[in-house]
Amino acid sequence: MSPLLPDRASLTASALCAAVLLLASLAGHGECQATAPPGVGCSTYKNCDGCVPHAKCLWCFATNNCTDYPVTWLLPPASLCPLSQARWGVCWLNFEALIIALAVVAGTILISIMFCCCCCCCKTRRSGRPDRDEERFVRRREEIRQRAEERKVERQTRHDEIRRKYGLMGDSDHPYSKFENE
């Protein structure tokens, strides 16, 4: 990575700071934004501080005038005012920075929601039913246990036959029959 290019962490941190500053500035007015009185047009305001508190007005630093915000478009057209020179809501934040900050915040929220949904879906799928590997492992372990049990029974019967053949098998009626034969 080039030392001139910032890394992802610093870009994310700066975008987050811009979003926080934007929200703080919009919430920091302490009063809701007023619309222009019905009889007063936006062109009567002669400075940015008087123009931007009104939601219907847009200040353009390129022409130093206050115009009606074009509600038919989301962004003001370049013929009205370049985005880098247009101010709406606050004087210190231009439309370009506002668009970037809002896009970063919206993208972060969408990615967070998608990540949470994926985690929840994967967690419920795993905990709800075992996967194929687990089923195969349990089935194989059960088969091994059954074969071991069968071998144990076969071994026990062979040992019992050998004990009967050599008279080592005790009579169940007489536990002391072995001692009587001596």
Side-chain angles (χ1 to χ4, degrees), residues 86-182:
R87 304 295 193 265
W88 181 77
V90 290
C91 288
W92 58 268
L93 184 65
N94 64 25
F95 258 94
E96 286 177 335
L98 181 66
I99 292 168
I100 291 170
L102 290 178
V104 167
V105 169
T108 303
I109 290 171
L110 287 175
I111 289 172
S112 300
I113 290 171
M114 288 185 345
F115 180 74
C116 290
C117 289
C118 289
C119 287
C120 291
C121 291
C122 291
K123 184 178 179 182
T124 56
R125 187 176 346 135
R126 285 186 186 162
S127 65
R129 104 182 145 80
D131 61 351
R132 292 181 195 168
D133 292 336
E134 289 180 33
E135 290 175 359
R136 193 177 322 135
F137 178 72
V138 168
R139 192 178 329 116
R140 185 171 175 215
R141 187 173 40 192
E142 184 63 28
E143 290 172 359
I144 290 172
R145 190 187 62 76
Q146 287 177 353
R147 280 186 280 167
E149 194 66 37
E150 290 172 2
R151 285 195 307 266
K152 182 179 177 184
V153 169
E154 289 175 7
R155 210 172 32 249
Q156 186 68 33
T157 55
R158 273 188 284 142
H159 289 167
D160 287 346
E161 287 175 9
I162 292 172
R163 285 187 189 110
R164 261 188 249 122
K165 179 179 177 181
Y166 291 105
L168 299 175
M169 197 75 160
D171 226 2
S172 61
D173 296 339
H174 281 232
Y176 299 108
S177 62
K178 180 179 173 186
F179 298 116
E180 291 175 359
N181 292 340
E182 291 180 0

Side-chain angles (χ1 to χ4, degrees), residues 62-97:
T63 59
N64 280 331
N65 66 355
C66 186
T67 59
D68 290 330
Y69 185 78
V71 293
T72 56
W73 299 294
L74 182 61
L75 300 175
S79 62
L80 182 65
C81 188
L83 287 179
S84 62
Q85 300 297 316
R87 304 295 193 265
W88 181 77
V90 290
C91 288
W92 58 268
L93 184 65
N94 64 25
F95 258 94
E96 286 177 335

Side-chain angles (χ1 to χ4, degrees), residues 29-67:
H29 286 0
E31 59 188 49
C32 61
Q33 291 184 349
T35 58
V40 178
C42 291
S43 59
T44 59
Y45 300 108
K46 299 300 177 198
N47 62 9
C48 182
D49 293 328
C51 178
V52 295
H54 305 286
K56 294 173 86 176
C57 299
L58 174 75
W59 181 261
C60 183
F61 274 113
T63 59
N64 280 331
N65 66 355
C66 186
T67 59

